[in-house]
Amino acid sequence: MTSSLLASLSSLAPYLFSLLAFLALLEQVSYIIKKRSLPGPPLVLPFLGSAARLVAAPTAFWDRQSRLAASSPLGISANYVVGRFILFIRDTELCHRVFANVRPDAFHLVGHPFGKKLFGEHNLIYMMGQDHKDLRRRIAPNFTPRALSTYTSLQQIIILKHLKRWVHLSSPPAAAGETPKAIALRLLARDMNLETSQTVFAGPYLSQKARERFNVDYNLFNVGLMKLPFDLPGSAFRKARLAVDRLVETLAGCAGKSKERMERGEEPCCLIDFWMQETAREVGAAREAEEAPPPHSGDQEIGGHLFDFLFAAQDASTSSLLWAVTLLDSHPQVLAKVRDEVAGIWSPESDALITGEQLREMKYTEAVAREVVRYRAPATMVPHIAGEEFPLTDTYTVPKGTIVFPSVFESSFQGFTEPDRFDPDRFSEERREDQIHKRNFLAFGAGAHQCVGQRYALNHLMLFIAMFVMLIDFRRDRTDGCDDITYVPTICPKDDCRVFLSMRCARFPELSLH
């Protein structure tokens, strides 16, 4: 039986080989037709394309796409990854053209090349038209000045908690007999931001046990983001997908508890409460009228959207914090100006939280935060898929199904005065380059899907900078290439931002919500 089976397979082998060769040839022809005269690999590896190169060395892969795009008069380059034709766009105006045409018959925002397999089909980033507008209207109460003020208090308490731990790790007490050592901040900052996001977004609705499980699942999700989308048992991608399901389920439970609390008329204490205030009122009114609940009010759907927020806030924020430390260390004159400004507004010895009004007074610190985001845009690209053919220029039409990567990173180095220089003064009242070159400042996106939480993100970065420079003395553990860019999946310094830390203040402040 076995010998006859092997003989049958052996006789089929030439036909199978011919079929694979024919499919590979069709793939090459399709790629060449789609690519046309754009710069990119002349031929691609069958079925996988440049996938191995992308996974093994993403920084080098995207640097090459950038150089190729810069060599093209259109500012576009092409490649091929796991059966997908891709375009990299560095030209600012073409990036805007993509952002402005997110609709069913043009581009679909996907956030990640294989995002729908990870996030599911119905999350905020995939919504369009009136449905998307209605949901953003519901989200608006999450980012009012009152809500943001509530968040800043929570953010500071968590930042302080983690800064104390970082100092202890780098400079343990003399009695411990250990010498000061450099510590890598990337994972520490990620943990701080995850706790911040959990507390700001879900507040009291996450138990300690739920937070611990949450942390494990979020780590599985992060690992899966950087892997190929092979949804097989035991694969990192499958683990990531299942982890997202559990995370959304947990956040859906938080939404339900918040609704109950808001229905009782209690004061909101976290983001989901500000969101559920009006939603709970509308759900109650529909219940009394014996009508169907309003759209976008189901716990499971809200849990999915909360996960979107957490994903957007988590890795991008970690990236910005690491680059802030890196750039302040390498620009001591900027660091001195930040310290002078913050010292004139807030004193750690006061044991008082930085208020929203005080934060708004920190104009130079905000300029530093904005320049960090411009100079090292955390989410360097915003993937979209062409739902239909789209005439991107007079001479090039994007084929249907193409994954398009508008580069907000490349745009940030166009238009601005000496764009390759880290210069917070460009955002001063005198120079106002954020307004003059507004179209090039795309770190928070543009169009209908522009980041709704950008003020929250800037506040978090400003609070971290203000507290970090006032409470801590720091210096980088400098090695060759330590500040080179690496993808994890947002960008961070190659050495994970290794620093020596020590206390700068006489004592850490005692901060509390009351």
Side-chain angles (χ1 to χ4, degrees):
M1 181 69 178
T2 303
S3 58
S4 62
L5 179 61
L6 289 174
S8 299
L9 290 174
S10 179
S11 64
L12 288 174
Y15 300 102
L16 293 173
F17 178 79
S18 298
L19 177 61
L20 289 174
F22 178 68
L23 292 175
L25 177 63
L26 284 180
E27 188 177 50
Q28 296 291 339
V29 171
S30 172
Y31 168 73
I32 291 168
I33 291 172
K34 291 175 179 178
K35 176 179 171 292
R36 294 173 57 184
S37 61
L38 294 179
L43 296 173
V44 293
L45 187 69
F47 313 120
L48 288 178
S50 299
R53 185 178 298 171
L54 172 60
V55 172
T59 305
F61 177 88
W62 292 117
D63 282 348
R64 183 169 185 271
Q65 291 303 129
S66 173
R67 290 194 301 273
L68 289 171
S71 71
S72 162
L74 297 180
I76 309 172
S77 63
N79 212 312
Y80 188 80
V81 176
V82 194
R84 286 283 198 174
F85 180 66
I86 71 170
L87 293 177
F88 177 91
I89 301 176
R90 76 179 299 275
D91 179 81
T92 294
E93 291 309 314
L94 293 184
C95 288
H96 274 281
R97 189 157 169 74
V98 173
F99 291 139
N101 286 281
V102 176
R103 58 177 197 264
D105 62 341
F107 296 106
H108 305 174
L109 175 63
V110 293
H112 184 275
F114 312 108
K116 284 194 177 183
K117 290 185 178 181
L118 274 178
F119 302 118
E121 294 278 344
H122 307 294
N123 285 12
L124 175 63
I125 54 177
Y126 307 128
M127 297 175 69
M128 290 180 261
Q130 191 59 45
D131 209 29
H132 179 248
K133 290 179 182 177
D134 289 345
L135 181 56
R136 282 182 71 101
R137 177 185 61 80
R138 285 190 172 278
I139 291 169
N142 300 350
F143 301 105
T144 61
R146 179 180 169 225
L148 290 169
S149 180
T150 298
Y151 309 155
T152 58
S153 299
L154 298 170
Q155 288 164 291
Q156 290 172 72
I157 289 170
I158 296 168
I159 290 171
L160 175 61
K161 169 187 168 182
H162 285 263
L163 292 185
K164 288 179 180 178
R165 178 170 174 249
W166 297 0
V167 169
H168 182 81
L169 289 172
S170 182
S171 299
E178 299 178 36
T179 58
K181 60 185 177 183
I183 58 172
L185 291 186
R186 182 172 72 86
L187 295 182
L188 295 172
R190 192 199 67 176
D191 290 345
M192 180 185 76
N193 284 333
L194 186 55
E195 183 176 353
T196 305
S197 297
Q198 289 173 339
T199 305
V200 169
F201 295 170
Y205 307 116
L206 277 176
S207 67
Q208 186 57 40
K209 184 177 180 181
R211 284 174 183 256
E212 291 169 4
R213 179 70 245 186
F214 202 105
N215 294 350
V216 171
D217 282 335
Y218 197 85
N219 186 55
L220 290 172
F221 164 72
N222 254 343
V223 171
L225 276 178
M226 300 297 289
K227 303 299 181 182
L228 293 176
F230 298 137
D231 197 1
L232 301 172
S235 69
F237 193 84
R238 169 70 66 86
K239 290 177 182 177
R241 187 176 62 75
L242 296 176
V244 170
D245 291 343
R246 290 191 296 269
L247 290 166
V248 169
E249 192 69 37
T250 298
L251 292 170
C254 295
K257 293 173 185 174
S258 175
K259 272 184 199 168
E260 293 173 4
R261 189 167 170 270
M262 291 303 98
E263 284 177 349
R264 295 196 298 268
E266 297 185 33
E267 280 296 304
C269 65
C270 60
L271 182 144
I272 190 62
D273 283 348
F274 283 101
W275 188 349
M276 291 301 101
Q277 265 192 317
E278 181 63 16
T279 299
R281 188 192 65 77
E282 292 183 8
V283 168
R287 191 188 305 124
E288 289 181 10
E290 298 184 352
E291 297 175 352
H296 310 304
S297 63
D299 293 350
Q300 198 70 23
E301 181 182 357
I302 292 167
H305 299 322
L306 265 180
F307 179 74
D308 294 343
F309 286 171
L310 188 134
F311 171 58
Q314 174 65 29
D315 295 305
S317 181
T318 298
S319 171
S320 294
L321 267 54
L322 299 178
W323 287 114
V325 172
T326 299
L327 293 165
L328 287 170
D329 175 81
S330 59
H331 295 80
Q333 74 285 3
V334 174
L335 173 60
K337 287 182 70 174
V338 172
R339 279 177 168 158
D340 285 345
E341 179 181 72
V342 177
I345 297 170
W346 175 73
S347 168
E349 287 77 17
S350 69
D351 292 331
L353 291 162
I354 299 171
T355 65
E357 292 75 15
Q358 288 175 320
L359 198 62
R360 285 190 288 274
E361 289 177 36
M362 297 179 187
K363 301 296 184 185
Y364 186 73
T365 305
E366 179 168 358
V368 170
R370 288 185 178 277
E371 178 67 343
V372 168
V373 172
R374 181 202 71 86
Y375 190 75
R376 289 291 181 262
T380 57
M381 295 162 288
V382 187
H384 292 66
I385 289 180
E388 301 290 342
E389 287 191 352
F390 186 85
L392 190 62
T393 73
D394 293 338
T395 59
Y396 187 80
T397 295
V398 178
K400 179 179 178 179
T402 301
I403 302 181
V404 179
F405 292 87
S407 176
V408 302
F409 185 89
E410 296 289 333
S411 183
S412 295
F413 289 89
Q414 298 169 34
F416 292 97
T417 306
E418 295 184 84
D420 292 326
R421 190 160 73 92
F422 180 73
D423 180 14
D425 285 327
R426 72 176 74 252
F427 293 118
S428 65
E429 287 294 325
E430 293 74 30
R431 289 171 56 181
R432 301 177 64 249
E433 288 191 28
D434 55 329
Q435 296 302 313
I436 297 169
H437 303 297
K438 187 175 182 179
R439 289 184 71 77
N440 299 87
F441 190 75
L442 290 175
F444 294 108
H449 282 268
Q450 188 175 37
C451 176
V452 69
Q454 59 183 283
R455 185 68 253 178
Y456 169 80
L458 281 171
N459 282 357
H460 187 63
L461 182 53
M462 288 175 65
L463 288 167
F464 174 81
I465 291 172
M467 297 178 73
F468 187 81
V469 303
M470 293 299 289
L471 303 179
I472 292 176
D473 279 321
F474 62 100
R475 64 180 174 87
R476 293 277 274 122
D477 181 20
R478 295 213 161 270
T479 56
D480 289 343
C482 65
D483 290 351
D484 290 351
I485 292 172
T486 189
Y487 288 76
V488 288
T490 50
I491 59 171
C492 80
K494 187 177 180 179
D495 71 340
D496 284 350
C497 194
R498 288 181 59 82
V499 289
F500 292 93
L501 305 178
S502 60
M503 277 186 66
R504 181 172 186 268
C505 51
R507 63 174 179 83
F508 285 116
E510 298 291 335
L511 302 181
S512 67
L513 293 175
H514 305 292

